Amino acid sequence: AQAKDHKLQIVTPEGGVGGVAGDESGVGWGDDIHFVGDEAAMIQYLFVVDALNFCFWPSEGAWEYEDLSTALKRALEADGSALDSDRLAAMSEEGLCGLLGGKTLPNMPARVEHLRQVGKGLQEKFNGSAAALVSSCGGSAQQLVEVIIASFPNFRDHLEYKGRRICFYKRAQILAGDIWGCLKGRGLGEMHDVDKLTMFADYRVPQILQAYGVLEYSE
């Protein structure tokens, strides 16, 4: 797409942040839409979920994140080896469709490639285990993000802009946060620097902040 010279003004109205600060009504871990099991299986599951956690565009009949996480939860409950690294490394579109209960998603070739990278990376560096990867980071969320970025190209969402590298690392940070959240900060989910993760650069964030009155946009 060709960039256009439009100037968008964004302001924070007085009281906008205060109106939502401290509101934890949406905070929590949804066991109903996420797999719950032993620690290693949960981490492996989250790695797959977050490898596929991109490009959800609301439209009639389209899937959202919770549809993806629930489908993978059911696949793993039905077959405990469904998300093993060797199967991920050999993933096909048909195989992914099977994991999703017969559903296809946009960008299926890219999603399949992401899973292959995850499977091969885990096999080559961490004996096939996402839990081993997390364990190698010594309880550091920041180190975990760095290892994920270094080991898995599909998690490297950065770009060069005017001679500078601009880094987002959205899904790598989400994965670290998800592991901390699902394990409630215990075991391999105990991370002494989880507060150092940045706010996830998600296209939904400005939409939500606008809905809460935190941000206002010019026409």
Side-chain angles (χ1 to χ4, degrees), residues 78-157:
D79 178 0
S81 64
L83 306 182
D84 284 1
S85 60
D86 58 337
R87 294 176 67 170
L88 297 177
M91 188 58 63
S92 64
E93 288 194 37
E94 293 77 13
L96 177 54
C97 184
L99 287 177
L100 300 178
K103 179 76 173 183
T104 60
L105 296 175
N107 303 311
M108 285 290 279
R111 295 179 194 274
V112 168
E113 179 56 29
H114 283 200
L115 293 185
R116 289 175 178 168
Q117 287 184 17
V118 167
K120 291 175 182 177
L122 290 176
Q123 286 183 316
E124 292 172 359
K125 300 181 179 182
F126 304 100
N127 198 31
S129 169
L133 182 159
V134 176
S135 179
S136 73
C137 297
S140 169
Q142 288 184 304
Q143 179 66 19
L144 176 56
V145 170
E146 291 175 6
V147 171
I148 292 169
I149 293 166
S151 303
F152 306 96
N154 67 81
F155 280 90
R156 296 175 197 157
D157 50 334

Side-chain angles (χ1 to χ4, degrees), residues 42-53:
M42 291 174 73
I43 294 173
Q44 193 87 3
Y45 160 81
L46 288 173
F47 218 111
V48 173
V49 170
D50 287 332
L52 299 174
N53 182 14

